[in-house]
Amino acid sequence: MVVLVLRGPVRHWLGASATYLLWLAVPVALAAVMLPVAADDCTGAVRVEAVPVTLPYAFTFEIVKGQAKVRLGEAPR
């Protein structure tokens, strides 16, 4: 949409060839969306605090004879 709005003024100010180059912004923007985002690891945080959390359920992870199992159960009270 931005390219459609800008193509008239760009053609007036810079000419038709610049207007055609403006269309390169569309695939560049699409490629930029596909780039991986930085991990949210609190690197620039002023303070990081541990917060106790109690869940109404509990997970049990175990490996029996090479078979991984995850079970969901009630949390201990």
Side-chain angles (χ1 to χ4, degrees):
M1 295 293 287
V2 174
V3 173
L4 290 174
V5 172
L6 290 178
R7 67 183 181 155
V10 169
R11 183 176 54 234
H12 177 70
W13 294 326
L14 301 173
S17 58
T19 305
Y20 287 121
L21 287 175
L22 190 62
W23 282 103
L24 286 176
V26 174
V28 169
L30 290 173
V33 171
M34 301 304 245
L35 291 174
V37 294
D40 188 15
D41 61 358
C42 302
T43 302
V46 175
R47 184 177 68 204
V48 177
E49 295 180 28
V51 178
V53 176
T54 303
L55 301 173
Y57 48 85
F59 291 102
T60 303
F61 301 93
E62 63 182 347
I63 298 176
V64 178
K65 296 181 183 176
Q67 195 74 13
K69 294 183 182 182
V70 180
R71 290 190 227 164
L72 175 64
E74 292 291 319
R77 299 205 187 250

